[in-house]
């Protein structure tokens, strides 16, 4: 019989994968800002693709697969310990842990996001996004808010955005926080399902997860629903002794199959957000999607989710991949993942924008044409494309240094705040857990 994996070993590779996913989110948003053509599989229907637009390579510049990975790992990590407890017959302990985890996760999701939003709000009110509103990058312009008209209006705007972040995902001061609302809902979905199935036998619990996966597939929830239950199914398989024994007895078979799964998942993830008909490979995926996805669904959401699931399942059964993801550098990046996610967009609109456009900043021309119509503004151009080779490495370095400070000071504060509220509301004292990583 294969040994039962301990919780730390079962999640260490997930920390590394989460770190890579958060890094790719940053890369994706920088790509949207400076090279939006990468969203398509070719430069046009009649032109060949750039190297960066080719399948698999383009995964380095795509953000949607990362969101799917976050949701999948949320289902996996949050379900891992309760599933292990229920399989061992410690059902009451599992239910107690789920109740406390649901409370803690809410606080450790919301409080850091509120701090990040408030900081971005302050930058906005003091004109920190002024240059970003005038540069040629459409993504930077569109995600940069304007200062409020008055102090009272500024306070009202802050309050409204702190609320709408968790109601409909809207946040003018940091639009990438739209995912947090869905990831928090997904976490609650995990806890609800764990409570409802605590007394169910493992094999039937896996059947329930599969049924719920298909339900959300049919509903069209490719952002959270299907990924959450794929993660929970993965957690259940982690402790399935029959499967683990079969894997141990046939290492070569599972090494080959998992490697093929990683390759296939990476290829599927490559499905472009725009103009899939411009390349033969993506057009083939689009045609195939007509048969497997719900009518009217967004294929550029489903394919990254499906590819991420195949990829993660492949990693799960590939010892080499797990060993690489469990390395110290990747685990360190994983520790920074939530801070990086919260901080990168405001820093793109300020630090990176100032570095790339500040030297060429000039007043925009204003005027009218011969017919009296207002002329479009002259957006500030990039100072130099060669500057990217120096600026981007510097930006990533500063981003992770700032994220490290966040983890050192802000995360412990959020943990203490959550723990204080917990001690006031709960009937027994609980030990504060480690800071939240974007699971």
């Amino acid at each position: 019989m294969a040994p039962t994996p301990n919780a730390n070993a079962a999640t260490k590779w997930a920390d590394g994968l989460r770190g890579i996913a958060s890094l790719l989110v940053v890369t994706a948003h920088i790509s949207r800002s400076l090279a939006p053509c990468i969203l398509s599989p070719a430069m046009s229907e009649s032109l060949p693709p750039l190297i960066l637009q080719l399948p698999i390579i383009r995964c380095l510049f795509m953000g949607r697969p990362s969101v799917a990975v976050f949701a999948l790992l949320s289902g996996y990590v949050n379900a891992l310990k309760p599933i292990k407890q229920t399989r061992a017959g410690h059902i009451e302990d599992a239910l107690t842990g789920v109740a406390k985890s649901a409370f803690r996760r809410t606080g450790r999701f919301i409080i850091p996001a509120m701090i990040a939003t408030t900081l971005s709000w302050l930058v906005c009110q003091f004109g920190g996004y002024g240059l970003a509103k005038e540069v040629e990058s459409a993504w930077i312009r569109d995600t940069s808010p304007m200062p409020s008209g008055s102090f009272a209006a500024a306070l009202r705007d802050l309050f409204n955005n702190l609320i709408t972040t968790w109601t409909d995902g809207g946040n003018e001061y940091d639009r990438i926080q739209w995912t947090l609302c869905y990831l928090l809902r997904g976490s609650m979905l995990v806890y609800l399902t764990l409570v409802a199935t605590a007394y169910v036998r493992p094999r039937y619990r896996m059947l329930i997860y599969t049924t719920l996966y298909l339900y959300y597939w049919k509903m069209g929830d490719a952002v959270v629903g299907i990924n959450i239950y794929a993660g929970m199914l993965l957690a259940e398989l982690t402790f399935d002794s029959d499967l683990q024994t079969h894997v141990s007895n046939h290492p070569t078979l599972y090494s080959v199959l998992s490697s093929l799964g990683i390759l296939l998942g990476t290829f599927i993830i490559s499905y472009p957000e725009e103009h899939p008909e411009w390349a033969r490979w993506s057009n083939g995926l689009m045609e195939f999607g007509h048969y497997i996805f719900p009518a009217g669904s967004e294929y550029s959401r489903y394919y990254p989710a499906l590819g991420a699931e195949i990829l993660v399942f492949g990693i799960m059964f590939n010892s080499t991949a797990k060993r690489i993801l469990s390395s110290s550098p990747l685990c360190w990046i994983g520790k920074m993942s939530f801070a990086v996610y919260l901080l990168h967009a405001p820093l793109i609109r300020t630090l990176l924008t100032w570095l790339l456009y500040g030297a060429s900043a000039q007043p925009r021309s204003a005027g009218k044409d011969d017919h009296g119509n207002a002329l479009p503004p002259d957006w500030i151009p990039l100072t130099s494309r060669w500057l990217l080779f120096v600026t981007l490495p510097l930006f990533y370095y500063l981003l992770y240094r700032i994220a490290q400070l966040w983890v050192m000071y802000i995360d412990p504060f959020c943990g203490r705040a959550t723990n204080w509220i917990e001690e006031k509301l709960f009937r027994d004292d609980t030990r504060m857990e480690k800071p939240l990583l974007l699971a």
Side-chain angles (χ1 to χ4, degrees), residues 121-436:
W121 169 81
L122 285 171
V123 171
C124 173
Q125 301 308 322
F126 284 98
Y129 297 137
L131 177 62
K133 293 297 293 184
E134 299 185 4
V135 300
E136 63 181 0
S137 169
W139 188 87
I140 292 178
R141 288 199 316 270
D142 294 343
T143 59
S144 299
M146 294 291 290
S148 305
S150 65
F151 180 72
L155 291 178
R156 185 173 60 250
D157 292 340
L158 174 62
F159 177 79
N160 289 337
N161 281 275
L162 290 176
I163 298 299
T164 56
T165 300
W166 307 102
T167 55
D168 59 15
N171 187 328
E172 290 298 317
Y173 298 107
D174 195 1
R175 294 189 182 182
I176 61 97
Q177 286 194 27
W178 71 267
T179 58
L180 301 184
C181 171
Y182 294 94
L183 291 172
L184 183 58
R185 291 178 189 175
S187 298
M188 297 303 112
L189 207 59
V190 173
Y191 298 133
L192 178 62
T193 306
L194 288 171
V195 171
T197 60
Y199 291 94
V200 177
R201 293 177 182 176
R203 68 176 62 182
Y204 296 112
R205 197 158 54 215
M206 287 190 281
L207 179 61
I208 292 173
Y209 296 162
T210 304
T211 302
L212 289 170
Y213 177 95
L214 296 174
Y215 169 76
Y216 280 99
W217 180 285
K218 186 63 177 177
M219 275 187 61
D221 185 1
V223 176
V224 172
I226 62 174
N227 297 307
I228 284 291
Y229 287 108
M232 294 185 72
L233 183 60
L234 187 65
E236 199 75 61
L237 293 174
T238 301
F239 298 108
D240 189 285
S241 58
D242 292 337
L243 176 62
Q244 296 302 327
T245 299
H246 197 267
V247 172
S248 299
N249 293 337
H250 303 84
T252 303
L253 173 64
Y254 278 92
S255 177
V256 172
L257 291 178
S258 61
S259 298
L260 292 175
I262 292 172
L263 184 62
L264 176 61
T266 307
F267 174 76
I268 294 175
I269 282 174
S270 303
Y271 187 82
E273 292 184 30
E274 298 179 359
H275 305 295
E277 70 279 1
W278 284 1
R280 182 176 300 177
W281 66 270
S282 54
N283 186 65
L285 286 176
M286 182 178 66
E287 294 295 329
F288 184 63
H290 298 335
Y291 298 98
I292 63 174
F293 299 139
S297 60
E298 193 174 0
Y299 293 1
S300 61
R301 290 287 183 193
Y302 266 93
Y303 270 123
L306 180 61
E309 291 161 8
I310 296 174
L311 171 67
V312 175
F313 271 78
I315 292 172
M316 179 64 193
F317 297 102
N318 191 295
S319 58
T320 302
K322 288 198 291 186
R323 185 170 61 252
I324 293 173
L325 291 172
S326 300
S327 63
S328 297
L330 291 182
C331 286
W332 183 85
I333 293 176
K335 185 179 179 181
M336 305 294 140
S337 60
F338 194 39
V340 166
Y341 190 86
L342 291 175
L343 294 170
H344 79 276
L347 288 175
I348 288 175
R349 298 194 299 267
T350 52
L351 176 61
L352 184 61
T353 299
W354 298 336
L355 290 173
L356 291 177
Y357 296 94
S360 60
Q362 53 188 328
R364 291 188 293 171
S365 63
K368 298 182 179 181
D369 59 18
D370 297 336
H371 301 286
N373 299 317
L375 293 171
D378 292 329
W379 303 119
I380 297 173
L382 197 66
T383 300
S384 170
R385 294 196 179 276
W386 292 105
L387 189 62
L388 292 171
F389 293 99
V390 176
T391 301
L392 289 181
L394 176 62
F395 173 77
Y396 278 103
Y397 171 77
L398 293 175
L399 170 62
Y400 275 87
R401 290 295 294 174
I402 295 172
Q404 188 176 29
L405 293 174
W406 180 285
V407 170
M408 291 172 59
Y409 298 104
I410 303 300
D411 277 353
F413 167 78
C414 296
R416 289 192 299 270
T418 303
N419 198 47
W420 180 82
I421 297 172
E422 182 179 332
E423 289 176 352
K424 294 297 181 182
L425 298 183
F426 279 44
R427 286 187 284 181
D428 58 340
D429 293 333
T430 54
R431 182 179 60 184
M432 192 176 77
E433 296 178 349
K434 63 181 179 180
L436 170 71

